[in-house]
Amino acid sequence: ALGLLIAERVRARVETLRFSIEGAPCPLTISIGMAFKTADDPIDAALNAADGALYAASERVETGLSVQALDVRSGGSKAS
């Protein structure tokens, strides 16, 4: 839960930054993908889940935050 809180704070802070290129506003967004891993979960599966969460977050324009919950028992994962 702490990771989600930090990720949301980072996302919100980045969106408040204001940049311009040659006087034209250039809004920033950030996409964050996270995976929760237990000691028993293989690192490759956790990295794949985080990569999937990052892809899902980049598709969610309105929030930019996605969590991928690793479920090694079923051999898959689910996004939330």
Side-chain angles (χ1 to χ4, degrees):
L2 180 59
L4 287 175
L5 179 64
I6 292 169
E8 177 55 28
R9 285 182 180 172
V10 168
R11 185 204 60 78
R13 178 69 176 121
V14 166
E15 289 185 355
T16 67
L17 299 174
R18 300 291 176 240
F19 291 94
S20 62
I21 297 174
E22 297 180 0
C26 183
L28 292 178
T29 61
I30 186 171
S31 296
I32 301 170
M34 297 177 65
F36 297 97
K37 179 190 174 306
T38 67
D40 296 331
D41 296 336
I43 189 68
D44 289 347
L47 291 173
N48 285 335
D51 186 53
L54 178 58
Y55 180 79
S58 69
E59 296 292 313
R60 291 182 177 181
V61 176
E62 73 279 359
T63 63
L65 182 63
S66 178
V67 175
Q68 194 82 5
L70 183 61
D71 184 355
V72 292
R73 293 171 301 212
S74 69
S77 57
K78 68 178 188 176
S80 61

